[in-house]
Amino acid sequence: MHKSTLVVSLAAAVSAHQNLHQFWVNGVSPGYEIGIRRAPSNSPVTDVKSNDIVCNVGGDKVPSGVETIPARAGDKITVGWDPSGHPGPITHFLYGPVDDAAKASGVGAGWFKVDERDYVDGHWANEVMQNNGGNYTFSLPASLKSGDYLLRSEMLALHAAQTVGGAQFYIGCMQLKITGSGGNCSPTISLPGAYNAEDKNIYIPDVYNGFDPTTYSAPGGPVASCK
Ligand SMILES: *[C@@H]1O[C@H](CO)[C@@H](O)[C@H](O)[C@H]1NC(C)=O
């Protein structure tokens, strides 16, 4: 009896872990796990001060050996994650322009948030994605300088955020070669650096006891303005 309970709960825990597997630019994908820095496992990052918070475990290793995929400013990006029942937001950040995305570790200053979805109309981003096979679509800023960029997708799972270090960051970085007519984006943040273990959107002592998800906004500051 005990053994089967344990097996079931382990299976549930494993199936809730997740990776980014594929993306589409205006509905066209370069292929399964192409253009993505692949993580060694589907486990979360929990140390927000580690370089792993940038592009998942080992994601700062360059050259990355990953193909860089063309896109244009303003294009629609769809990310395809393993669906997860863990409540939380999804955010996207760009880093660049750089000469060669495959040679950019992404560690340090220069990231800016381009999209954020928190708790809208009674549903966390992960629920909306679960209902959509793990997919989520957003647009790149319309004003960007041409060049290579890292595109970072972050799903933050808050089901264990009642303890410091309990929040689970699932991260996937894509490499894009963006054509744009120019623009400066601000504010920018550093990764690691911008996140602290006790930030109020990462450590939520009352997450099961009075927390109001409608007041929540994801780490990394406001969505940047690009002009
Ligand atoms: C995710 O979106 C892409 C692009 O629109 C689509 O081709 C794919 O079938 C979608 N996947 C799921 C599981 O809905």
Side-chain angles (χ1 to χ4, degrees):
M1 276 311 258
H2 284 110
K3 188 171 175 224
S4 64
T5 307
L6 181 65
V7 168
V8 167
S9 59
L10 280 176
V14 168
S15 67
H17 282 196
Q18 53 178 163
N19 278 132
L20 171 71
H21 291 291
Q22 192 165 358
F23 68 98
W24 290 258
V25 179
N26 293 335
V28 179
S29 175
Y32 188 75
E33 295 185 339
I34 304 294
I36 297 173
R37 294 187 179 180
R38 292 179 58 194
S41 81
N42 62 2
S43 295
V45 174
T46 55
D47 179 356
V48 297
K49 294 299 184 193
S50 139
N51 283 355
D52 297 342
I53 201 69
V54 182
C55 284
N56 211 325
V57 176
D60 58 333
K61 187 180 138 273
V62 288
S64 63
V66 169
E67 199 182 323
T68 301
I69 306 304
R72 286 177 320 242
D75 275 355
K76 264 197 213 151
I77 304 292
T78 300
V79 289
W81 279 90
D82 294 312
S84 167
H86 288 160
I90 185 167
T91 47
H92 288 91
F93 297 80
L94 283 173
Y95 176 89
V98 294
D99 287 343
D100 183 349
K103 292 186 181 149
S105 73
V107 173
W111 289 94
F112 52 95
K113 191 183 275 182
V114 296
D115 184 74
E116 171 170 347
R117 171 121 187 168
D118 298 312
Y119 185 85
V120 179
D121 297 334
H123 299 284
W124 283 106
N126 71 290
E127 292 176 58
V128 176
M129 293 172 70
Q130 261 189 316
N131 294 336
N132 207 12
N135 273 3
Y136 174 82
T137 300
F138 66 99
S139 294
L140 294 174
S143 300
L144 287 172
K145 290 189 179 110
S146 290
D148 279 14
Y149 289 79
L150 302 180
L151 171 60
R152 177 178 178 275
S153 186
E154 173 186 292
M155 293 191 71
L156 172 53
L158 297 172
H159 60 289
Q162 72 277 17
T163 56
V164 175
Q168 300 185 350
F169 293 82
Y170 296 91
I171 301 151
C173 283
M174 296 149 270
Q175 294 179 193
L176 294 180
K177 184 176 290 300
I178 296 179
T179 306
S181 56
N184 292 307
C185 302
S186 67
T188 60
I189 61 164
S190 290
L191 289 173
Y195 298 2
N196 298 289
E198 298 193 24
D199 287 349
K200 69 179 193 318
N201 45 16
I202 293 174
Y203 167 50
I204 309 174
D206 63 352
V207 72
Y208 291 109
N209 186 27
F211 166 61
D212 175 4
T214 64
T215 64
Y216 183 87
S217 72
V223 171
S225 141
C226 299
K227 52 193 172 197

